Each structure stands twice: as structure tokens, then as C-alpha cells.
Amino acid sequence: MTTSRVMGQFTVLHPQGRFDNQGGEQISRQIEDMASQCSVLCLDLAGVDFMDSAGLGKLVSGLKTARQQDCRLVLCHIPGQVKLILDIAKLEAVFEVYSSYEEVLEELTGLNAA
């Protein structure tokens, strides 16, 4: 299950549970649906308790989809197990990673004020 919060051109998705092939497919579809409607899409991964290689593949696919639609896909609240998977796959540097979605909002607000 995934919940979302829309704040103008900034949307936060909150996936819950397993980020495997099935859960990853759901997120991938949501990214595809939302990326054209916002400039920044943040995946708050605090509720994800498991990620495998299939879920990681769906995450990378979502990043590609977002970029094709001129949307920044960022990650926040990355649990230890998910961080480990990103580290092992050497993909942590590929994603924009923040400690919280509030940190992303602060950056965006700072950019808009400049």
C-alpha cells in the first residue's frame, strides 16, 4: 500500500511494506502516473521493511521514467536494509538522497527564494 501527499509541484509517496516485484510494480506505475504532474517526486521509504533486487530494478526504472518526464525523483528516510541494498548495488550516488522530505522542501524553498 502507498499513500501520497501533493504540495504544489512537490509530491511525496509513502510506500509501505515490501518493495519487491509486486510492491515495486505498484510504485513504478505511480511514478509513471505522477511524474508528468510534478517537478519533484519524493519517495519516503520509512515504511519499507524489505527490498530485493526486483524492487531495486523497479526503483531504477521509476528514476528513468521520472527523468524522461523532467521530474526529479528523490529518496528520503531510507531504512538500513534498503540503504544496504543501494550501497551493494553502488546506486546510492545515482539517486538524490535526503534525510527527510522536509529537507527537500527546504532546499526547494531556498532555490525559489534565490
Side-chain angles (χ1 to χ4, degrees), residues 1-90:
M1 179 174 81
T2 303
T3 59
S4 64
R5 181 180 310 164
V6 178
M7 296 170 261
Q9 286 292 304
F10 180 74
T11 300
V12 182
L13 290 176
H14 301 272
Q16 303 292 313
R18 297 177 64 87
F19 205 118
D20 52 13
N21 190 51
Q22 183 178 355
E25 183 63 36
Q26 178 187 7
I27 297 298
S28 185
R29 282 194 306 268
Q30 286 183 302
I31 292 170
E32 189 174 328
D33 292 343
M34 297 177 141
S36 64
Q37 301 167 25
C38 60
S39 58
V40 178
L41 184 55
C42 179
L43 289 183
D44 182 337
L45 301 176
V48 174
D49 55 23
F50 174 83
M51 178 183 276
D52 63 9
S53 60
L56 181 61
K58 298 294 184 181
L59 188 60
V60 171
S61 176
L63 177 63
K64 181 179 175 184
T65 298
R67 286 181 175 171
Q68 289 172 340
Q69 297 184 33
D70 294 323
C71 177
R72 283 175 58 193
L73 179 68
V74 301
L75 308 178
C76 72
H77 288 134
I78 302 175
Q81 191 267 343
V82 175
K83 184 177 181 346
L84 180 62
I85 297 288
L86 290 171
D87 287 345
I88 290 170
K90 301 193 185 318

